[in-house]
Protein backbone atom coordinates (compact mmCIF):
# COMPACT_ATOMS: atom_id res chain seq x y z
CA UNK A 1 0.00 0.00 0.00
CA UNK A 2 2.81 2.35 0.86
CA UNK A 3 4.53 1.55 -2.45
CA UNK A 4 1.32 2.38 -4.30
CA UNK A 5 1.08 5.74 -2.53
CA UNK A 6 4.68 6.54 -3.40
CA UNK A 7 4.04 5.65 -7.05
CA UNK A 8 0.93 7.82 -7.08
CA UNK A 9 2.87 10.75 -5.67
CA UNK A 10 5.64 10.23 -8.20
CA UNK A 11 3.24 10.05 -11.15
CA UNK A 12 1.32 13.06 -9.85
CA UNK A 13 4.53 15.07 -9.68
CA UNK A 14 5.40 14.01 -13.23
CA UNK A 15 1.91 15.07 -14.38
CA UNK A 16 2.34 18.48 -12.76
CA UNK A 17 5.66 19.00 -14.57
CA UNK A 18 4.10 17.92 -17.88
CA UNK A 19 1.12 20.26 -17.39
CA UNK A 20 3.39 23.14 -16.40
CA UNK A 21 5.61 22.53 -19.47
CA UNK A 22 2.57 22.41 -21.75
CA UNK A 23 1.24 25.64 -20.26
CA UNK A 24 4.59 27.37 -20.79
CA UNK A 25 4.71 26.17 -24.39
CA UNK A 26 1.18 27.43 -25.03
CA UNK A 27 2.06 30.83 -23.56
CA UNK A 28 5.23 31.02 -25.68
CA UNK A 29 3.30 30.08 -28.84
CA UNK A 30 0.74 32.77 -28.05
CA UNK A 31 3.46 35.34 -27.43
CA UNK A 32 5.35 34.50 -30.62
CA UNK A 33 2.10 34.70 -32.57
CA UNK A 34 1.36 38.15 -31.19
CA UNK A 35 4.87 39.60 -31.26
CA UNK A 36 3.87 42.50 -33.51
CA UNK A 37 0.96 43.48 -31.25
CA UNK A 38 3.03 43.06 -28.06
CA UNK A 39 5.94 44.98 -29.57
CA UNK A 40 3.64 47.81 -30.65
CA UNK A 41 2.08 47.96 -27.18
CA UNK A 42 5.49 48.01 -25.51
CA UNK A 43 6.66 50.72 -27.91
CA UNK A 44 3.65 52.91 -27.16
CA UNK A 45 4.11 52.31 -23.44
CA UNK A 46 7.79 53.25 -23.54
CA UNK A 47 7.01 56.31 -25.67
CA UNK A 48 4.37 57.39 -23.15
CA UNK A 49 6.79 56.93 -20.24
CA UNK A 50 9.50 58.75 -22.21
CA UNK A 51 7.24 61.73 -22.89
CA UNK A 52 6.70 62.04 -19.13
CA UNK A 53 10.35 61.57 -18.14
CA UNK A 54 11.81 63.71 -20.94
CA UNK A 55 11.21 67.12 -19.27
CA UNK A 56 12.40 65.70 -15.94
CA UNK A 57 15.67 64.51 -17.48
CA UNK A 58 16.19 67.74 -19.42
CA UNK A 59 15.43 69.75 -16.28
CA UNK A 60 18.01 67.76 -14.33
CA UNK A 61 20.60 68.37 -17.07
CA UNK A 62 19.89 72.13 -17.09
CA UNK A 63 20.19 72.28 -13.29
CA UNK A 64 23.41 70.27 -13.44
CA UNK A 65 24.96 72.69 -15.95
CA UNK A 66 23.95 75.79 -13.99
CA UNK A 67 24.97 74.39 -10.59
CA UNK A 68 28.50 75.96 -10.68
CA UNK A 69 26.88 79.40 -11.07
CA UNK A 70 24.75 78.72 -7.97
CA UNK A 71 27.83 77.71 -5.98
CA UNK A 72 29.65 80.84 -7.19
CA UNK A 73 26.87 83.12 -5.88
CA UNK A 74 26.74 81.15 -2.61
CA UNK A 75 30.42 81.93 -2.02
CA UNK A 76 29.94 85.64 -2.80
CA UNK A 77 26.72 86.28 -0.83
CA UNK A 78 26.90 87.17 2.89
CA UNK A 79 26.17 84.38 5.38
CA UNK A 80 23.34 86.33 7.09
CA UNK A 81 20.86 85.68 4.30
CA UNK A 82 19.60 82.38 2.92
CA UNK A 83 22.52 82.07 0.55
CA UNK A 84 21.26 79.06 -1.38
CA UNK A 85 17.83 80.48 -2.27
CA UNK A 86 19.34 83.86 -3.10
CA UNK A 87 22.05 82.20 -5.19
CA UNK A 88 19.43 80.28 -7.18
CA UNK A 89 17.50 83.52 -7.70
CA UNK A 90 20.59 85.37 -8.93
CA UNK A 91 21.44 82.43 -11.22
CA UNK A 92 18.00 82.49 -12.82
CA UNK A 93 18.21 86.28 -13.19
CA UNK A 94 21.65 85.99 -14.82
CA UNK A 95 20.47 83.39 -17.32
CA UNK A 96 17.35 85.41 -18.20
CA UNK A 97 19.39 88.59 -18.72
CA UNK A 98 21.98 86.82 -20.90
CA UNK A 99 19.28 85.19 -23.06
CA UNK A 100 17.41 88.49 -23.38
CA UNK A 101 20.58 90.32 -24.45
CA UNK A 102 21.42 87.64 -27.04
CA UNK A 103 17.87 87.71 -28.43
CA UNK A 104 17.88 91.51 -28.59
CA UNK A 105 21.23 91.51 -30.40
CA UNK A 106 19.95 88.99 -32.95
CA UNK A 107 16.76 90.97 -33.60
CA UNK A 108 18.68 94.26 -33.82
CA UNK A 109 21.29 92.81 -36.18
CA UNK A 110 18.69 91.26 -38.48
CA UNK A 111 16.60 94.43 -38.54
CA UNK A 112 19.63 96.61 -39.22
CA UNK A 113 20.93 94.28 -41.92
CA UNK A 114 17.60 94.09 -43.71
CA UNK A 115 17.15 97.83 -43.61
CA UNK A 116 20.71 98.39 -44.88
CA UNK A 117 20.20 96.04 -47.80
CA UNK A 118 17.20 97.90 -49.08
CA UNK A 119 15.09 100.84 -48.02
CA UNK A 120 12.27 99.94 -50.44
CA UNK A 121 10.56 97.27 -48.38
CA UNK A 122 10.17 93.54 -48.82
CA UNK A 123 9.70 93.61 -52.59
CA UNK A 124 12.94 95.50 -53.15
CA UNK A 125 14.75 93.17 -50.74
CA UNK A 126 13.56 90.10 -52.68
CA UNK A 127 14.58 91.75 -55.94
CA UNK A 128 18.04 92.43 -54.50
CA UNK A 129 18.41 88.81 -53.39
CA UNK A 130 17.18 87.57 -56.79
CA UNK A 131 19.70 89.74 -58.62
CA UNK A 132 22.51 88.46 -56.42
CA UNK A 133 21.51 84.83 -56.99
CA UNK A 134 21.21 85.40 -60.74
CA UNK A 135 24.64 87.02 -60.81
CA UNK A 136 26.08 84.11 -58.85
CA UNK A 137 24.45 81.63 -61.25
CA UNK A 138 25.81 83.48 -64.33
CA UNK A 139 29.33 83.56 -62.89
CA UNK A 140 29.12 79.86 -62.01
CA UNK A 141 28.01 78.81 -65.50
CA UNK A 142 30.71 80.98 -67.11
CA UNK A 143 33.32 79.33 -64.90
CA UNK A 144 32.06 75.86 -65.82
CA UNK A 145 32.19 76.72 -69.56
CA UNK A 146 35.78 77.91 -69.10
CA UNK A 147 36.53 74.38 -67.84
CA UNK A 148 35.08 72.95 -71.11
CA UNK A 149 31.93 71.67 -69.41
CA UNK A 150 29.22 71.30 -72.07
CA UNK A 151 25.95 73.21 -71.97
CA UNK A 152 24.02 69.94 -71.93
CA UNK A 153 25.80 68.84 -68.74
CA UNK A 154 25.07 72.21 -67.15
CA UNK A 155 21.40 71.87 -68.15
CA UNK A 156 21.27 68.36 -66.63
CA UNK A 157 22.74 69.62 -63.35
CA UNK A 158 20.29 72.50 -63.38
CA UNK A 159 17.35 70.14 -63.94
CA UNK A 160 18.57 67.86 -61.14
CA UNK A 161 18.88 70.83 -58.78
CA UNK A 162 15.38 72.08 -59.64
CA UNK A 163 13.95 68.58 -59.15
CA UNK A 164 15.67 68.27 -55.77
CA UNK A 165 14.32 71.66 -54.68
CA UNK A 166 10.80 70.71 -55.77
CA UNK A 167 10.97 67.44 -53.83
CA UNK A 168 12.28 69.28 -50.78
CA UNK A 169 9.46 71.85 -50.95
CA UNK A 170 6.85 69.11 -51.43
CA UNK A 171 8.28 67.15 -48.52
CA UNK A 172 8.18 70.20 -46.27
CA UNK A 173 4.58 70.90 -47.32
CA UNK A 174 3.43 67.32 -46.71
CA UNK A 175 5.12 67.22 -43.32
CA UNK A 176 3.92 70.65 -42.21
CA UNK A 177 1.51 69.11 -39.72
CA UNK A 178 4.20 66.94 -38.17
CA UNK A 179 6.57 69.89 -38.01
CA UNK A 180 3.97 72.00 -36.17
CA UNK A 181 3.25 69.14 -33.75
CA UNK A 182 6.98 68.70 -33.08
CA UNK A 183 7.35 72.44 -32.46
CA UNK A 184 4.41 72.40 -30.05
CA UNK A 185 5.75 69.32 -28.26
CA UNK A 186 9.24 70.82 -28.08
CA UNK A 187 7.91 74.08 -26.61
CA UNK A 188 5.91 72.17 -24.00
CA UNK A 189 8.89 69.98 -23.10
CA UNK A 190 11.16 73.04 -22.81
CA UNK A 191 8.69 74.87 -20.55
CA UNK A 192 8.31 71.92 -18.16
CA UNK A 193 12.06 71.22 -18.25
CA UNK A 194 12.75 74.79 -17.13
CA UNK A 195 10.23 74.40 -14.29
CA UNK A 196 11.84 71.12 -13.18
CA UNK A 197 15.32 72.66 -13.38
CA UNK A 198 14.26 75.46 -11.00
CA UNK A 199 12.93 72.91 -8.50
CA UNK A 200 16.10 70.85 -8.82
CA UNK A 201 18.25 73.91 -8.11
CA UNK A 202 16.24 74.90 -5.06
CA UNK A 203 15.93 71.40 -3.56
CA UNK A 204 19.27 69.92 -4.65
CA UNK A 205 20.62 69.29 -1.13
CA UNK A 206 17.38 67.73 0.14
CA UNK A 207 17.03 65.54 -2.96
CA UNK A 208 20.62 64.37 -2.60
CA UNK A 209 20.12 63.52 1.08
CA UNK A 210 16.80 61.76 0.46
CA UNK A 211 17.94 59.57 -2.41
CA UNK A 212 21.26 58.92 -0.67
CA UNK A 213 19.34 57.42 2.26
CA UNK A 214 17.18 55.39 -0.12
CA UNK A 215 20.22 53.95 -1.90
CA UNK A 216 21.93 53.09 1.38
CA UNK A 217 18.81 51.29 2.60
CA UNK A 218 18.05 49.39 -0.61
CA UNK A 219 21.49 48.30 -1.84
CA UNK A 220 24.61 46.92 -0.23
CA UNK A 221 27.74 48.90 0.51
CA UNK A 222 29.45 47.36 -2.52
CA UNK A 223 26.68 48.60 -4.83
CA UNK A 224 26.70 52.02 -3.14
CA UNK A 225 30.45 52.31 -3.69
CA UNK A 226 30.01 51.31 -7.33
CA UNK A 227 27.24 53.90 -7.88
CA UNK A 228 29.30 56.63 -6.23
CA UNK A 229 32.32 55.81 -8.41
CA UNK A 230 30.05 55.78 -11.47
CA UNK A 231 28.71 59.23 -10.57
CA UNK A 232 32.24 60.63 -10.14
CA UNK A 233 33.33 59.18 -13.49
CA UNK A 234 30.31 60.67 -15.29
CA UNK A 235 30.85 64.00 -13.56
CA UNK A 236 34.52 64.02 -14.58
CA UNK A 237 33.78 63.20 -18.21
CA UNK A 238 30.65 65.31 -18.76
CA UNK A 239 30.75 68.32 -16.44
CA UNK A 240 34.15 69.67 -17.47
CA UNK A 241 33.46 69.07 -21.14
CA UNK A 242 30.00 70.65 -21.33
CA UNK A 243 30.85 73.64 -19.16
CA UNK A 244 34.14 74.18 -20.94
CA UNK A 245 32.51 73.86 -24.36
CA UNK A 246 29.72 76.22 -23.27
CA UNK A 247 32.19 78.90 -22.21
CA UNK A 248 34.17 78.35 -25.39
CA UNK A 249 31.00 78.75 -27.47
CA UNK A 250 30.19 81.98 -25.62
CA UNK A 251 33.73 83.25 -26.27
CA UNK A 252 33.54 82.46 -29.99
CA UNK A 253 30.07 83.97 -30.39
CA UNK A 254 31.07 87.18 -28.60
CA UNK A 255 34.45 87.72 -30.27
CA UNK A 256 33.27 86.92 -33.80
CA UNK A 257 30.12 89.05 -33.41
CA UNK A 258 32.08 92.05 -32.15
CA UNK A 259 34.86 91.63 -34.75
CA UNK A 260 32.42 91.22 -37.64
CA UNK A 261 30.38 94.23 -36.50
CA UNK A 262 33.51 96.40 -36.41
CA UNK A 263 34.68 95.12 -39.81
CA UNK A 264 31.23 95.58 -41.37
CA UNK A 265 30.73 91.93 -42.35
CA UNK A 266 27.09 91.33 -43.36
CA UNK A 267 25.02 89.44 -40.76
CA UNK A 268 28.05 89.52 -38.47
CA UNK A 269 26.22 89.00 -35.18
CA UNK A 270 24.13 86.17 -36.55
CA UNK A 271 27.21 84.45 -37.99
CA UNK A 272 29.01 84.86 -34.65
CA UNK A 273 26.17 83.30 -32.69
CA UNK A 274 25.79 80.40 -35.13
CA UNK A 275 29.55 79.79 -35.03
CA UNK A 276 29.47 79.76 -31.23
CA UNK A 277 26.63 77.26 -31.23
CA UNK A 278 28.48 75.14 -33.77
CA UNK A 279 31.52 75.11 -31.48
CA UNK A 280 29.53 72.98 -29.04
CA UNK A 281 30.30 70.12 -31.44
CA UNK A 282 34.02 69.70 -32.27
CA UNK A 283 34.99 70.72 -35.82
CA UNK A 284 31.48 72.04 -36.60
CA UNK A 285 32.16 75.61 -35.44
CA UNK A 286 34.75 76.35 -38.16
CA UNK A 287 32.38 74.94 -40.80
CA UNK A 288 29.65 77.33 -39.64
CA UNK A 289 32.08 80.24 -39.41
CA UNK A 290 33.62 79.92 -42.85
CA UNK A 291 30.47 78.66 -44.57
CA UNK A 292 28.16 81.40 -43.31
CA UNK A 293 30.78 84.09 -43.99
CA UNK A 294 31.13 82.96 -47.59
CA UNK A 295 27.36 82.66 -47.97
CA UNK A 296 26.77 86.18 -46.64
CA UNK A 297 29.37 87.57 -49.02
CA UNK A 298 27.82 85.81 -52.01
CA UNK A 299 24.29 86.88 -51.13
CA UNK A 300 25.14 90.52 -50.49
CA UNK A 301 27.82 90.76 -53.17
CA UNK A 302 30.30 92.22 -50.66
CA UNK A 303 33.42 90.23 -51.60
CA UNK A 304 35.77 92.51 -49.67
CA UNK A 305 33.85 91.99 -46.42
CA UNK A 306 33.75 88.24 -47.12
CA UNK A 307 37.56 88.04 -47.43
CA UNK A 308 38.00 90.12 -44.27
CA UNK A 309 35.52 87.85 -42.46
CA UNK A 310 37.38 84.71 -43.53
CA UNK A 311 40.65 86.16 -42.21
CA UNK A 312 38.96 87.11 -38.91
CA UNK A 313 37.50 83.62 -38.49
CA UNK A 314 40.88 82.03 -39.21
CA UNK A 315 42.66 84.21 -36.61
CA UNK A 316 39.99 83.70 -33.92
CA UNK A 317 39.82 79.94 -34.56
CA UNK A 318 43.60 79.77 -34.26
CA UNK A 319 43.58 81.61 -30.92
CA UNK A 320 40.70 79.50 -29.68
CA UNK A 321 42.27 76.20 -30.71
CA UNK A 322 45.71 76.92 -29.29
CA UNK A 323 44.93 78.96 -26.14
CA UNK A 324 41.28 79.37 -25.09
CA UNK A 325 39.82 75.90 -25.67
CA UNK A 326 42.70 73.95 -24.04
CA UNK A 327 42.51 76.16 -20.94
CA UNK A 328 38.73 75.85 -20.62
CA UNK A 329 38.88 72.07 -21.04
CA UNK A 330 42.03 71.55 -18.94
CA UNK A 331 40.08 69.83 -16.15
CA UNK A 332 38.39 67.34 -18.47
CA UNK A 333 40.05 64.20 -19.75
CA UNK A 334 42.25 64.51 -22.81
CA UNK A 335 41.09 62.62 -25.91
CA UNK A 336 43.03 61.97 -29.08
CA UNK A 337 41.59 63.76 -32.16
CA UNK A 338 41.07 60.43 -33.96
CA UNK A 339 38.95 59.19 -31.06
CA UNK A 340 36.98 62.45 -31.20
CA UNK A 341 36.24 61.93 -34.91
CA UNK A 342 35.21 58.30 -34.38
CA UNK A 343 32.97 59.34 -31.48
CA UNK A 344 31.35 62.10 -33.57
CA UNK A 345 30.64 59.70 -36.45
CA UNK A 346 29.15 57.10 -34.11
CA UNK A 347 27.14 59.71 -32.20
CA UNK A 348 25.76 61.16 -35.43
CA UNK A 349 24.74 57.71 -36.67
CA UNK A 350 23.03 56.79 -33.41
CA UNK A 351 21.44 60.04 -32.22
CA UNK A 352 21.90 62.75 -34.85
CA UNK A 353 22.84 66.18 -33.50
CA UNK A 354 22.11 65.19 -29.90
CA UNK A 355 24.31 62.12 -30.34
CA UNK A 356 27.14 64.30 -31.61
CA UNK A 357 26.78 66.62 -28.61
CA UNK A 358 27.25 63.78 -26.11
CA UNK A 359 29.64 61.70 -28.23
CA UNK A 360 32.91 63.21 -26.98
CA UNK A 361 32.17 63.06 -23.21
CA UNK A 362 30.81 59.53 -23.68
CA UNK A 363 34.07 58.55 -25.36
CA UNK A 364 35.93 60.19 -22.47
CA UNK A 365 33.91 58.13 -19.99
CA UNK A 366 34.66 54.92 -21.89
CA UNK A 367 38.34 55.87 -21.91
CA UNK A 368 38.28 56.30 -18.10
CA UNK A 369 36.79 52.84 -17.65
CA UNK A 370 39.16 51.26 -20.18
CA UNK A 371 42.28 52.76 -18.57
CA UNK A 372 41.07 51.78 -15.08
CA UNK A 373 40.51 48.21 -16.30
CA UNK A 374 43.96 48.04 -17.90
CA UNK A 375 45.62 49.42 -14.77
CA UNK A 376 43.89 46.74 -12.66
CA UNK A 377 45.37 43.91 -14.73
CA UNK A 378 48.64 42.34 -13.61
CA UNK A 379 51.66 42.60 -15.89
CA UNK A 380 51.86 39.52 -18.12
CA UNK A 381 55.50 39.92 -19.06
CA UNK A 382 58.53 41.14 -17.18
CA UNK A 383 60.67 43.55 -19.13
CA UNK A 384 64.30 42.48 -18.89
CA UNK A 385 66.91 45.17 -19.12
CA UNK A 386 70.50 44.70 -20.18
CA UNK A 387 73.15 45.17 -17.48
CA UNK A 388 74.78 48.54 -17.55
CA UNK A 389 78.32 48.59 -18.80
CA UNK A 390 80.95 50.17 -16.67
CA UNK A 391 82.66 53.33 -17.85
CA UNK A 392 86.07 51.62 -17.72
CA UNK A 393 85.27 49.31 -20.64
Amino acid sequence: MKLKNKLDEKYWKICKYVLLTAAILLVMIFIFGKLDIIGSALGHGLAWIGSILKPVVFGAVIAYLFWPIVKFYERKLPAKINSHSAAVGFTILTVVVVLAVILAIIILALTKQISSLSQGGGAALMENLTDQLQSFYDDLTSWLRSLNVSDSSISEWEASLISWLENAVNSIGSNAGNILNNIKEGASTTMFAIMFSVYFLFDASRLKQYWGNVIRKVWSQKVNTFLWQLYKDIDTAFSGYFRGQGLDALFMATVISVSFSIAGVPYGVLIGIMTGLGNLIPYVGPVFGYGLTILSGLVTGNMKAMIIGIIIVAVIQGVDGSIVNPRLLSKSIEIHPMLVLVALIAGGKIGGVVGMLVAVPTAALLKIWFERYISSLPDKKTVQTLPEQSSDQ
Side-chain angles (χ1 to χ4, degrees), residues 83-94:
S83 59
H84 181 71
S85 299
V88 173
F90 279 113
T91 300
I92 296 172
L93 181 62
T94 302

Side-chain angles (χ1 to χ4, degrees), residues 225 227-237 365 368 372:
T225 304
L227 292 175
W228 177 246
Q229 185 63 52
L230 178 64
Y231 167 77
K232 290 196 298 184
D233 291 341
I234 294 175
D235 183 66
T236 300
L365 181 62
I368 292 175
R372 182 178 299 148

Side-chain angles (χ1 to χ4, degrees), residues 260 271 274-275 284-299 306 309-310 313 317:
F260 275 22
I271 294 174
M274 293 301 298
T275 304
V284 174
V287 175
F288 277 20
Y290 292 115
L292 293 176
T293 302
I294 294 172
L295 182 62
S296 69
L298 294 176
V299 170
M306 183 186 75
I310 292 174
V313 173
Q317 286 287 352

